[in-house]
Amino acid sequence: MVGDYPKSPKRRRDEDEDVVSPRKRSTSHTPPNGSPSFRLAERPRRYSREPSKDDERYYRDRRRPRSRSCSGTRSPSRSHSGSKSPSHHATPPPPKPTQLHYKQSMILRGHKKGVSSVNFSPDGRWIASSSADCTIKIWDATTGALEHTLEGHLAGVSTIAWSPDSKILASGSDDKSIRLWDVSTGLAHPTPFLGHHNYVYALAFSPKGNMLVSGSYDEAVFLWDVRAARVMRSLPAHSDPVGGVDFVCDGTLITSCSHDGLIRVWDTSTGQCLRTLVHEDNAPVTSVVFSPNGKYVLAWTLDNCIRLWNYIEGKGKCVKTYQGHRNEKFSLAGAFGTYGTEPPYEYAFIASGSEDGEIVLWDVSTKNVLQRLGGGHTDAVLSVDTHPTEKLIVSGGMDRTVRVWRETAAPPESGLEAVESTTVDGNGYDPDILPPNAFANT
């Protein structure tokens, strides 16, 4: 029932929800249309048998859909292996940093309820934020100025997704609809995507932008034709609400996750379930994203863990578990990022929000916490994203704010950082710098 589930921005899972919607168990972890004979090894991409330190390079590209090449690097020079130059006197690599030094640089205010999702545009120019106040806001990623407030949904907005060319923004709402917005005008496309029977909770564009995948509280995953605004395929995905969906870098696979504790990998062209991943604890899975080269799946679960899955080998296995944040009630989402000196000496980190108001950054390889960003949000941080090219992080949370964090050249406690925090309100001007009537004649 629509009314039986809690409301956005990101619904909590508590005892009352368990009474209304008990988690169901399926006797089989593979849907009826699964194809046991179809092996993931038959994918066009060739995979190594065992993950190695060199595999860290697959994080060089940022999250979807900024770079959909499965090469795992933005350019040939960004090899993590650090191959030797022709010179016999190559300089030794710099030491790997053990800490990061991000500091809050902007606070974007304007939402009237909790912020459910934040995302940088693939070209890095914009920040989009969605909220339980039924609106989406588009901000200038450099200045924080408010470009558009998108209004049209009749209920809270839980999820947003950028098209690969940064021209279209998709949004999913508790009103069961998906809308596409023209970023240049701020206007909605005339035809909404209708078909889900409950809250639309997760969205992702395909690398080419011609398809959109959605996950809903109706337990279904839909694959949409963007131009025709119609459902191409419905996947019998899960036995509980779907929390997250994503396309792999070349668009041939889709992953989905659910409160039923399962992560599934689907063939985009056939709709067949190729792999089902489940941890022995079977904790509800609230968000999922492919690694940039498509070799791994990163998943957030309601047991204070984030897990990295190798879904290629055997039946799939969990290769890394990241802990140190709090996540027991809300659906949190995060992103991959890079740190270090100039290429090829860059390393990968994972950024995630926490229900205690912090943002936690982990080194992908060692699982060490590189930094805790505290003193900013005053309530649960629901969504975190990283800039496609710059050392920037954006976060949104239950305190109704969107916050931008910038890497500094020195530890914050040294007093040498040059980043100053600026508050920008929802009218698009900085009250500390510009008077309220500064844009009266524009």
Side-chain angles (χ1 to χ4, degrees), residues 45-52 55 295-296 310 312-313:
R45 168 124 182 117
R46 180 173 295 183
Y47 300 92
S48 60
R49 291 193 57 80
E50 292 295 337
S52 67
D55 282 334
K295 290 185 178 181
Y296 297 83
N310 179 345
I312 303 297
E313 298 295 325

Side-chain angles (χ1 to χ4, degrees), residues 379-415:
D379 207 334
V381 181
L382 303 179
S383 181
V384 177
D385 195 18
T386 56
H387 195 277
T389 57
E390 299 181 29
K391 303 298 184 182
L392 293 174
I393 293 173
V394 65
S395 58
M398 294 291 291
D399 62 1
R400 309 179 184 181
T401 68
V402 176
R403 296 172 188 256
V404 179
W405 310 77
R406 182 180 294 275
E407 187 180 34
T408 63
E413 61 271 15
S414 70

Side-chain angles (χ1 to χ4, degrees), residues 230-310:
R230 65 177 179 83
V231 177
M232 298 169 57
R233 181 171 289 107
S234 176
L235 305 179
H238 296 278
S239 58
D240 268 334
V242 178
V245 293
D246 192 24
F247 272 100
V248 77
C249 53
D250 63 4
T252 60
L253 301 175
I254 294 170
T255 184
S256 64
C257 66
S258 169
H259 281 192
D260 61 12
L262 305 181
I263 303 165
R264 284 189 163 133
V265 179
W266 309 83
D267 183 271
T268 304
S269 61
T270 66
Q272 293 176 328
C273 181
L274 306 179
R275 184 74 78 244
T276 297
L277 309 174
V278 57
H279 193 265
E280 58 185 5
D281 295 336
N282 200 27
V285 190
T286 62
S287 183
V288 68
V289 61
F290 277 107
S291 63
N293 77 339
K295 290 185 178 181
Y296 297 83
V297 168
L298 188 67
W300 279 253
T301 49
L302 293 183
D303 58 356
N304 304 302
C305 292
I306 303 171
R307 293 183 173 91
L308 187 68
W309 289 85
N310 179 345

Side-chain angles (χ1 to χ4, degrees), residues 1 24 26 31 93 203 227 259 270 282 331 405 424:
M1 298 298 177
K24 296 181 280 294
S26 172
L203 292 173
R227 290 188 177 182
H259 281 192
T270 66
N282 200 27
S331 297
W405 310 77
V424 181

Side-chain angles (χ1 to χ4, degrees), residues 44-317:
R45 168 124 182 117
R46 180 173 295 183
Y47 300 92
S48 60
R49 291 193 57 80
E50 292 295 337
S52 67
K53 291 184 178 179
D54 284 346
D55 282 334
E56 292 174 18
R57 65 174 180 243
Y58 55 68
Y59 298 104
R60 293 304 169 266
D61 293 339
R62 294 300 204 273
R63 292 178 59 199
R64 63 171 194 276
R66 293 154 192 157
S67 174
R68 283 300 183 175
S69 168
C70 285
S71 63
T73 57
R74 284 193 291 267
S75 66
S77 64
R78 293 201 174 223
S79 170
H80 185 68
S81 60
S83 58
K84 295 181 180 180
S85 65
S87 171
H88 294 288
H89 302 284
T91 57
K96 182 177 180 179
T98 58
Q99 292 182 331
L100 292 179
H101 308 296
Y102 279 85
K103 182 185 176 184
Q104 183 173 272
S105 62
M106 287 192 294
I107 307 172
L108 311 181
R109 301 184 186 274
H111 283 295
K112 298 178 181 179
K113 292 185 179 181
V115 178
S116 58
S117 184
V118 291
N119 290 101
F120 283 107
S121 61
D123 62 9
R125 184 179 178 186
W126 308 109
I127 295 170
S129 59
S130 61
S131 170
D133 64 10
C134 309
T135 70
I136 303 104
K137 292 182 181 291
I138 299 178
W139 316 79
D140 187 293
T142 302
T143 66
L146 180 66
E147 183 73 11
H148 296 294
T149 296
L150 310 180
E151 299 178 309
H153 282 295
L154 303 179
V157 183
S158 288
T159 179
I160 48 179
W162 287 96
S163 65
D165 60 7
S166 302
K167 294 181 179 179
I168 301 296
L169 186 71
S171 59
S173 169
D174 286 4
D175 64 11
K176 309 175 191 176
S177 74
I178 299 168
R179 289 185 174 271
L180 299 186
W181 308 83
D182 187 317
V183 176
S184 62
T185 64
L187 300 178
H189 286 209
T191 306
F193 292 17
L194 302 176
H196 280 297
H197 302 294
N198 212 321
Y199 308 137
V200 180
Y201 206 61
L203 292 173
F205 270 99
S206 67
K208 294 182 179 179
N210 61 324
M211 293 183 291
L212 187 73
V213 63
S214 62
S216 168
Y217 256 49
D218 62 11
E219 305 173 3
V221 172
F222 285 175
L223 187 63
W224 303 82
D225 182 317
V226 172
R227 290 188 177 182
R230 65 177 179 83
V231 177
M232 298 169 57
R233 181 171 289 107
S234 176
L235 305 179
H238 296 278
S239 58
D240 268 334
V242 178
V245 293
D246 192 24
F247 272 100
V248 77
C249 53
D250 63 4
T252 60
L253 301 175
I254 294 170
T255 184
S256 64
C257 66
S258 169
H259 281 192
D260 61 12
L262 305 181
I263 303 165
R264 284 189 163 133
V265 179
W266 309 83
D267 183 271
T268 304
S269 61
T270 66
Q272 293 176 328
C273 181
L274 306 179
R275 184 74 78 244
T276 297
L277 309 174
V278 57
H279 193 265
E280 58 185 5
D281 295 336
N282 200 27
V285 190
T286 62
S287 183
V288 68
V289 61
F290 277 107
S291 63
N293 77 339
K295 290 185 178 181
Y296 297 83
V297 168
L298 188 67
W300 279 253
T301 49
L302 293 183
D303 58 356
N304 304 302
C305 292
I306 303 171
R307 293 183 173 91
L308 187 68
W309 289 85
N310 179 345
Y311 66 92
I312 303 297
E313 298 295 325
K315 296 182 179 180
K317 59 181 178 180

Side-chain angles (χ1 to χ4, degrees), residues 7-46:
K7 296 295 181 182
S8 65
K10 292 287 185 179
R11 270 78 61 181
R12 296 188 304 178
R13 181 180 179 86
D14 48 31
E15 294 180 357
D16 293 336
E17 182 180 345
D18 287 336
V19 173
V20 175
S21 178
R23 291 167 54 204
K24 296 181 280 294
R25 295 296 187 271
S26 172
T27 57
S28 173
H29 289 321
T30 302
N33 66 337
S35 176
S37 62
F38 190 94
R39 297 183 296 110
L40 285 170
E42 297 173 9
R43 308 295 329 156
R45 168 124 182 117
R46 180 173 295 183

